Amino acid sequence: MSDAAQPTAAEVRAAAEAVKTALDRHLAAVERRSGEEDPAVYDAFNELAAAAEAYDELLYDRYDEVTPFEIPGEDTLPPYTGPEEPSALSVLIRRDYAVAEPQRLMAQARRVEAADEDAPGAGASGTVHGALGLLFGEFEPDEIASRHKEFGLEEGDSTLWVTAADESAEPGEWLEAPFEEVDPERVVCRFDVSAVFDEEFDDGDEEEEEGEGEGEDGEDGEADLADLDEDLDTDLDRDLDEDGEPARLEADR
């Protein structure tokens, strides 16, 4: 960062004073706590976290120093304020994937395209974009999640939120913006999956993983396209029903 963009010493000092003030307010709120999930304590906690984060950034920009404090991420949910006996609920799911093997992805899509005469867009399997449309239109998201490697995908982070509602939404009411109005205070529970939660492997395990997949000549053992097609033929065979059509899960979408 250039000298002109650096905060002044006075700004750093002011940020430090803000942390002290927020710390006093947080302690006072804790001392006056009215219950296990007192909203005053929650608000004071957030103010302290924001003040500490601002001070940490200014301290680093000005003096290239950091504080020993770790600010919790924003995934901490506020106290639940929804109905005690919800009559309706919404389940919000996000799963991230990386397209690790585009050729495998498109090969799977070609087989769906060949088996289904009504498949949308002739030749859509020739592009990654089109292949994704074919596969996610043909298979349930849960099946893709359980078989993502067969489709050339690599799992990223995922999260599932269960939110409470007073009543069910009208048909089509939220379809244009399904994730726009999520009230964190009505989240009943949430489940997160991320590589940041994985435990570190010891050096022995890492060396063993590095050795896997290498051929006799020391090069990575990548399957050629013929082997890939053979594998995918086997995959698709178990996805076809008795009439030769791609099998679908029985659950409604």
Side-chain angles (χ1 to χ4, degrees), residues 236-249:
L236 188 67
D237 286 342
R238 77 163 180 264
D239 292 332
L240 297 179
D241 58 22
E242 295 179 354
D243 298 326
E245 297 294 332
R248 299 173 181 265
L249 294 183

Side-chain angles (χ1 to χ4, degrees), residues 9-176:
E11 289 174 327
V12 179
R13 172 61 61 181
E17 293 299 326
V19 173
K20 297 175 186 178
T21 301
L23 189 61
D24 289 338
R25 290 176 178 171
H26 181 261
L27 177 58
V30 171
E31 291 173 338
R32 298 192 301 267
R33 183 195 299 270
S34 60
E36 185 176 348
E37 296 184 348
D38 189 338
V41 175
Y42 174 77
D43 291 340
F45 173 88
N46 283 340
E47 291 177 5
L48 176 57
E53 185 174 9
Y55 170 64
D56 190 85
E57 291 179 357
L58 291 173
L59 185 70
Y60 181 79
D61 289 344
R62 176 69 185 183
Y63 300 110
D64 200 23
E65 286 290 343
V66 296
T67 64
F69 311 119
E70 182 177 353
I71 308 302
E74 295 183 358
D75 59 345
T76 301
L77 293 173
Y80 176 74
T81 61
E84 293 185 6
E85 298 182 3
S87 59
L89 60 89
S90 295
V91 179
L92 309 177
I93 301 175
R94 171 174 173 170
R95 297 187 181 113
D96 282 5
Y97 298 97
V99 180
E101 299 180 75
Q103 293 299 329
R104 178 176 287 274
L105 175 76
M106 291 187 288
Q108 281 280 26
R110 282 197 299 271
R111 281 153 181 77
V112 171
E113 201 171 43
D116 187 357
E117 296 180 355
D118 296 328
S125 60
T127 65
V128 171
H129 172 267
L132 287 171
L134 280 170
L135 292 176
F136 277 88
E138 187 62 40
F139 298 101
E140 295 286 346
D142 286 343
E143 183 171 2
I144 290 180
S146 64
R147 299 174 51 194
H148 60 277
K149 291 183 179 179
E150 298 176 27
F151 299 119
L153 303 175
E154 182 179 304
E155 281 185 318
D157 289 355
S158 66
T159 187
L160 181 152
W161 292 30
V162 179
T163 65
D166 296 315
E167 58 184 15
S168 299
E170 294 294 328
E173 181 179 350
W174 47 259
L175 290 179
E176 292 185 0

Side-chain angles (χ1 to χ4, degrees), residues 178-192:
F179 307 113
E180 193 172 68
E181 299 178 1
V182 180
D183 186 353
E185 294 185 354
R186 286 187 169 234
V187 175
V188 178
C189 58
R190 64 177 288 180
F191 304 95
D192 299 324

